[in-house]
Amino acid sequence: MQPELVALLAVQEDDDAIRAVEAELAAFAPRMASLDRARQRAHDEVERTRSAIERETERYRLLEARITEHREKHERNVATLDQARKLREATAAMAQVEMARRVLAEEESELAGMARRLGEMQSALEAHRAAAAALESEQADARASVQADIDRLEATLADARRVRGGKAAGVNPNLLSRYDRIATRRKSQALYAIRGLTCGACDTSIPLQRRNALMVAGQIDVCEACGVLLYAAPDPAPVSGDDTSGNAA
Ligand SMILES: [Zn+2]
């Protein structure tokens, strides 16, 4: 076998291992995402309640200010009533006092309702916060374990890529870039041994002239049907799964 082919086969072997680690890493993404989603939901619940309290508190303050204003007005009306000497003046002042008292009573009952609602919202907020904190500590172990696996795989991947890079340096750059393009497109193996007289990847039979170049000259050629790189193994061993096993050359 030509040294170039040996080198490229070694690169391909590393690439197979790298793809396996990448697939393992990718499998962790949905688990992390689902932990993140649960955390986000708990956080959103807290935020929704918190901003509802903020809005309700603002309404409470406005009503409180209105009540203060109305109470002052009411006190002025009471003073007017106290000073009213004539019956007509007194009747008018009395009507005003009565009206203001009713309005104030309504507003104060509304304010009390708001205070009660705010209290309930505050309790809900505390419950949501407690739930979020509980979820956080519940997730801590799962996250740590997933992260440890991810870190370990990423370290393995970095090592494998470094080793692969060293081996790739020994392959002709043109051949390597053709190989890389095909492997990237297929997300899989790019270099196949011919199987008998056919492509090892797609089983299309190889024209005689190309077959000779592969087998006699030991060249690397492209399969016209599926586009993978082909080579002839010098010592054609039976392919696993074939019924020719046991007839090793
Ligand atoms: Zn093919």
Side-chain angles (χ1 to χ4, degrees), residues 186 192 198-204 206 222-228 230:
R186 291 171 54 88
Y192 283 81
T198 64
C199 166
C202 74
D203 252 349
T204 305
I206 300 156
V222 176
C223 170
E224 289 177 315
C226 72
V228 301
L230 293 173

Side-chain angles (χ1 to χ4, degrees), residues 28-191:
F28 281 109
R31 252 184 89 192
M32 248 340 186
S34 116
L35 288 171
D36 285 347
R37 271 197 305 278
R39 174 151 78 183
Q40 189 62 47
R41 271 198 301 275
H43 175 79
D44 288 350
E45 202 74 61
V46 169
E47 272 313 295
R48 244 195 320 276
T49 311
R50 206 190 50 71
S51 73
I53 287 175
E54 224 172 71
R55 285 193 303 274
E56 189 68 6
T57 302
E58 180 56 25
R59 277 198 294 274
Y60 183 90
R61 289 213 184 95
L62 286 174
L63 181 59
E64 213 174 25
R66 201 158 71 228
I67 288 174
T68 304
E69 197 184 304
H70 287 171
R71 191 172 288 130
E72 281 165 8
K73 201 169 151 201
H74 176 63
E75 277 155 14
R76 280 198 304 276
N77 288 342
V78 171
T80 307
L81 176 61
D82 286 347
Q83 286 161 11
R85 294 203 184 90
K86 291 182 184 159
L87 181 61
R88 207 176 52 206
E89 281 174 2
T91 308
M94 177 67 88
Q96 251 179 342
V97 164
E98 273 314 308
M99 164 96 94
R101 187 174 285 145
R102 257 199 321 276
V103 169
L104 262 175
E106 273 166 25
E107 286 173 342
E108 271 162 0
S109 126
E110 195 185 340
L111 192 69
M114 270 187 184
R116 207 166 41 242
R117 208 153 52 238
L118 270 169
E120 286 162 9
M121 288 162 98
Q122 201 62 47
S123 308
L125 179 62
E126 274 150 32
H128 290 323
R129 279 194 174 134
L135 183 76
E136 199 65 48
S137 71
E138 198 181 291
Q139 284 196 348
D141 285 350
R143 280 182 184 277
S145 125
V146 170
Q147 197 54 55
D149 284 334
I150 288 175
D151 290 349
R152 178 179 51 75
L153 288 170
E154 272 171 355
T156 305
L157 201 54
D159 281 348
R161 282 180 177 146
R162 202 184 52 247
V163 171
R164 190 267 191 202
K167 291 183 190 171
V171 179
N172 171 295
N174 283 335
L175 176 61
L176 183 68
S177 87
R178 278 166 79 198
Y179 162 86
D180 280 339
R181 264 201 314 278
I182 297 164
T184 304
R185 171 169 57 78
R186 291 171 54 88
K187 296 184 179 69
S188 163
Q189 206 181 327
L191 179 62

